[in-house]
Structure formats: C-alpha cells, structure tokens
Amino acid sequence: MKKLGYLLLLIGLFSCQEEVTLPLTTLDEVVPVIEATWTDKPFFNEVKVSLAENYFDTTDITIISDAQVSILVPGTQERIPFRFNNETKSYKPISNNYVAKVGVTYEVQVRWEDELYSARGLMLEAPTLDSLTYSYQEERLFREEGYYIKVYGKIPFEEDNYYRIRVIENDTLRNDRDDYLLFDDTFGLKFFEEGLELNYPFEEGDKVRLELFRMNKDTYDYFTQLVGLLFNDGGLFSPPPQNPETNFKVDSGKGKVLGYFLVSPVLNESIFIKKE
C-alpha cells in the first residue's frame, strides 16, 4: 500500500479528444505523520512518527527518532513514557506493565521540535470472538475457488460498534487496499454470529491469524477514508483525493499533522488450513 503521509495531488483531467496534464501540487512544508496504537496487549502498543511525502513519491519514508512521546490519563498524574526502538523504528513504552484498561480515556502526546501534538481515545469493552472455520468453495460470482474462512463471534453493544479485522497469513500481515476489513452496525450485527466470511481465499497449508479491533468512531472514519483514498484512481469520475481526517490536533506551534490514534482491545484467533 502507499505510505501514510501524503500531500494529495490533483490528477490529470481527460477529455474525449485530448489528454490534459495539470501541474502536480508538491509538499512545501514539513508535516509529521503519527500512527499511534494503544491496546490491552503490550505487543501492539507503539507510536510511529515519520514525515509526510508527496502522493507519488517512491523514496523511503523519513523516520523521526528524536521526538518526545508519552501517553497519559487526563485528570490524573499517570503518564507512560515511550522511547525510540531502533529495531521497530517506532516508540515503545518503557515497560510492558502498562496497557489500556476498559473505560479509561487516554491521551497520546508527541513533542517534536517546537510543536506539540495530541489525540485522545476511549478504551472500549471487547466483543466476543468465538471461533474460526473454513471450507473449500468452488468458483462463485466475484469469488475465486479456494478455502474460505468464516469468523464467528458476538457483539452485544448498542453503540460504538466500529470494527477492523486484520489478517496475518503465514506470519505476514495482509496490508493491501483489499485487506482493510472494516464493519459497523449500519446493517445490524447478526451476521457476525452467523459467520462473517472473509472475502478472499486461502490455500492448503496456510496458517491464518485474525486480530479483531473495536475502535472509536474517529479512528474508524480515518480508516474508511484511507480505504477510499487507496481505491481512488484519479480518473474523471473519481472524487478529488484527500488525506484522511486525523484525530490529532496541534496543541502548540503552527504546523500541521496527519495520522491517527487508535485505542482498542485486541482479540486473536488462529487456524491452520488442512486438506478436507
């Protein structure tokens, strides 16, 4: 997938007789991109800070390693410091004893140079992830043949129903634009109890792990806008591409910021596909 952190560009317009190429907007200021995750599982907790790039820039992203990062509980003295980890190229809590607790609002703060950025999120209760099953399916309309996985669970909540499923196939995170599995309660949640089928097939011998996140709405909106951006081809009938709306704000300084703060419980379930 394209890197987060993009000044979006106006794509060329086309007429039926002549191709018109417009000059592309370029990034003329330093804009940090913050990807912060705070959960009830220490493995997932980290803050990544990099610099935004132009939309079509193919060079490696620039990692910011000299920021001051912490997570705090507003209204209390609790503050969790982070330090930069050279192996992960991200900021990690100084201790794995710190994790998100249900019902607590957390604030992440990132200070870099003369700027201070922050975002807040409420830790919500986790739904239930019961089991995974799979079955071999012949080729169907919009479905290739192969082994399809169904996810079974239960979501008893009447509000704040915003979810993402991440798929790790043979120890590799599926992270293309088709792999952002997002759902809410727009059409109800009964289908989750009846089995939610993943929309792509797997093969015999695959080991698959699913991670289920329950997000705050602003983070969910960020990811849905990101998916829309990733599917935007810049064509005549596509809307003008734009950055996903961040839930970060600039507390001090005059700069801009991109990115998200995800506060969420995480549920895991794995399955190994054998020949039927």
Side-chain angles (χ1 to χ4, degrees):
M1 60 168 283
K2 290 184 174 66
K3 303 161 189 165
L4 298 178
Y6 2 57
L7 178 69
L8 295 178
L9 310 175
L10 185 60
I11 313 299
L13 299 178
F14 298 88
S15 69
C16 59
Q17 297 188 9
E18 181 180 1
E19 179 178 330
V20 179
T21 303
L22 298 180
L24 300 177
T25 304
T26 56
L27 188 65
D28 58 1
E29 60 182 321
V30 176
V31 180
V33 182
I34 306 172
E35 302 166 74
T37 302
W38 187 240
T39 74
D40 54 354
K41 304 291 192 302
F43 172 80
F44 296 91
N45 296 339
E46 66 177 357
V47 178
K48 297 180 180 179
V49 188
S50 59
L51 292 183
E53 297 182 342
N54 293 314
Y55 189 65
F56 291 117
D57 196 332
T58 59
T59 60
D60 292 338
I61 62 173
T62 300
I63 303 296
I64 296 175
S65 61
D66 59 347
Q68 294 176 290
V69 178
S70 60
I71 283 181
L72 56 88
V73 179
T76 74
Q77 298 297 315
E78 184 175 0
R79 180 180 290 268
I80 304 161
F82 284 55
R83 67 165 61 99
F84 187 76
N85 186 305
N86 282 308
E87 293 184 1
T88 63
K89 302 301 180 183
S90 65
Y91 297 85
K92 291 287 199 176
I94 61 171
S95 171
N96 285 335
N97 293 330
Y98 300 110
V99 294
K101 298 178 181 178
V102 174
V104 178
T105 295
Y106 293 93
E107 178 177 309
V108 60
Q109 292 185 347
V110 177
R111 185 181 294 277
W112 183 62
E113 296 188 341
D114 297 325
E115 311 286 331
L116 176 63
Y117 314 100
S118 70
R120 291 188 177 188
L122 172 66
M123 177 64 171
L124 299 168
E125 185 179 353
T128 300
L129 182 57
D130 289 329
S131 62
L132 306 179
T133 65
Y134 65 88
S135 62
Y136 185 83
Q137 302 287 338
E138 300 290 344
E139 184 176 355
R140 295 169 288 168
L141 185 64
F142 305 120
R143 288 284 195 274
E144 301 176 9
E145 66 174 342
Y147 291 92
Y148 282 82
I149 292 176
K150 278 192 174 183
V151 189
Y152 292 86
K154 190 171 185 178
I155 298 177
F157 315 115
E158 296 183 359
E159 57 185 7
D160 297 321
N161 286 311
Y162 306 102
Y163 302 92
R164 179 188 179 187
I165 294 176
R166 295 203 316 177
V167 179
I168 294 85
E169 181 181 354
N170 301 321
D171 299 322
T172 299
L173 173 67
R174 296 189 62 138
N175 204 31
D176 289 332
R177 63 184 187 178
D178 292 314
D179 301 322
Y180 280 80
L181 306 179
L182 305 166
F183 65 95
D184 59 13
D185 57 5
T186 300
F187 302 104
L189 292 167
K190 194 71 175 177
F191 66 87
F192 198 55
E193 297 182 36
E194 298 169 352
L196 171 62
E197 184 180 87
L198 302 189
N199 59 357
Y200 39 72
F202 297 90
E203 298 179 354
E204 178 186 348
D206 281 344
K207 180 181 179 181
V208 182
R209 184 174 84 252
L210 301 188
E211 299 167 350
L212 175 63
F213 298 80
R214 184 186 180 196
M215 302 179 286
N216 290 268
K217 187 179 186 303
D218 55 3
T219 312
Y220 179 83
D221 289 343
Y222 178 93
F223 282 113
T224 55
Q225 292 169 28
L226 174 62
V227 171
L229 171 63
L230 295 176
F231 276 96
N232 192 312
D233 60 5
L236 181 62
F237 300 103
S238 296
Q242 60 183 3
N243 290 312
E245 184 176 352
T246 181
N247 56 359
F248 274 92
K249 60 187 180 73
V250 181
D251 290 325
S252 64
K254 298 180 180 180
K256 297 179 182 178
V257 64
L258 299 171
Y260 63 87
F261 180 36
L262 166 65
V263 180
S264 173
V266 183
L267 298 177
N268 296 276
E269 192 72 36
S270 298
I271 195 168
F272 181 75
I273 297 179
K274 302 178 183 179
K275 185 176 181 180
E276 293 181 337

